[in-house]
Amino acid sequence: MTEVTTTDNDESQLVARLRDPSTCRKAFEEVIARYGEPLYWQIRRMVQCHEDADDLLQNTFLKAWSSIDNFRGDAKLSTWLYKIAINESLSHIERERKRPNVSMDDEDSHLLHAIESDTHIDGNELALQLRKAIALLPEKQRLVFNMRYYDDMKYEQMSEILGTSVGALKASYHLAVKKIEQYFHDND
């Protein structure tokens, strides 16, 4: 997946159009077109299920639309959208955990089952094993690994989105890589 690239000027013009009642709907359609796919994949890699990812993406855009007036512009629009998407994903995962009869071990097996039964993604055996290894990571490491590995996101941008220091993010990524390597070593 490619990272959405926009210039600061493009983004500031888009934000200005979002704040103008006469152009806000058209501008928001552009937001959806520009950020829909990268946000979908960010969510999808967290929850694994296509239907859940679709629902969470829709919730992300609904929250963004309903609170666009609260967007201060301190961070980039993309950073703000990623924060919303990640919070939606984490809230969904937490709701799933709190469901009756779902333990932490069940959560891991649920993610693994979702990967194995996924008909929306084709992939070779190595890609499937990588998805399984990532699913077994703790949430924060999974999130950091996905953002860095799949989105090629810079640590500074992740720091803005997650509110975590660059050093802590680098450590999380390093630990995630080590655990994934161990998974492959153990499943050789």
Side-chain angles (χ1 to χ4, degrees):
M1 190 188 96
T2 59
E3 185 179 336
V4 176
T5 54
T6 58
T7 65
D8 289 340
N9 192 37
D10 286 344
E11 192 160 287
S12 63
Q13 288 176 359
L14 180 58
V15 170
R17 290 184 14 242
L18 284 167
R19 292 194 170 142
D20 181 345
S22 66
T23 59
C24 65
R25 284 194 185 277
K26 193 73 171 158
F28 201 75
E29 288 174 15
E30 187 178 327
V31 167
I32 291 170
R34 186 182 294 185
Y35 298 107
E37 186 176 351
L39 289 172
Y40 167 83
W41 285 108
Q42 179 61 49
I43 294 166
R44 177 68 186 274
R45 286 188 293 270
M46 287 299 294
V47 300
Q48 298 299 330
C49 175
H50 168 71
E51 289 79 13
D52 290 343
D54 263 354
D55 290 346
L56 293 170
L57 179 63
Q58 193 170 44
N59 290 350
T60 297
F61 282 127
L62 286 171
K63 283 193 174 179
W65 174 255
S66 66
S67 60
I68 195 69
D69 292 336
N70 298 330
F71 176 65
R72 297 183 311 268
D74 297 341
K76 291 173 64 174
L77 180 64
S78 58
T79 299
W80 183 66
L81 291 168
Y82 266 93
K83 276 184 182 181
I84 295 171
I86 288 167
N87 286 336
E88 284 295 304
S89 300
L90 294 175
S91 294
H92 171 79
I93 291 168
E94 191 60 33
R95 280 190 305 274
E96 289 295 307
R97 276 198 187 122
K98 289 182 179 178
R99 282 189 13 219
N101 302 324
V102 176
S103 71
M104 290 298 285
D105 291 338
D106 289 341
E107 174 66 19
D108 287 345
S109 64
H110 169 73
L111 288 175
L112 293 176
H113 176 72
I115 290 168
E116 290 169 354
S117 62
D118 191 350
T119 59
H120 291 90
I121 295 181
D122 292 329
N124 62 26
E125 184 62 28
L126 187 59
L128 179 64
Q129 291 302 316
L130 178 59
R131 288 180 64 208
K132 287 180 179 180
I134 293 168
L136 294 173
L137 294 172
E139 264 173 36
K140 181 81 173 216
Q141 289 175 14
R142 184 173 4 139
L143 183 59
V144 171
F145 182 84
N146 286 334
M147 294 170 91
R148 184 77 179 143
Y149 181 80
Y150 288 108
D151 297 334
D152 197 26
M153 196 175 288
K154 295 187 177 1
Y155 287 111
E156 291 75 16
Q157 185 179 7
M158 284 192 282
S159 176
E160 274 188 66
I161 292 169
L162 301 174
T164 305
S165 73
V166 169
L169 293 169
K170 287 180 179 180
S172 288
Y173 182 77
H174 177 74
L175 287 170
V177 169
K178 290 293 179 200
K179 288 177 182 177
I180 290 169
E181 287 172 350
Q182 187 63 46
Y183 175 88
F184 277 98
H185 181 300
D186 293 347
N187 292 288
D188 238 351

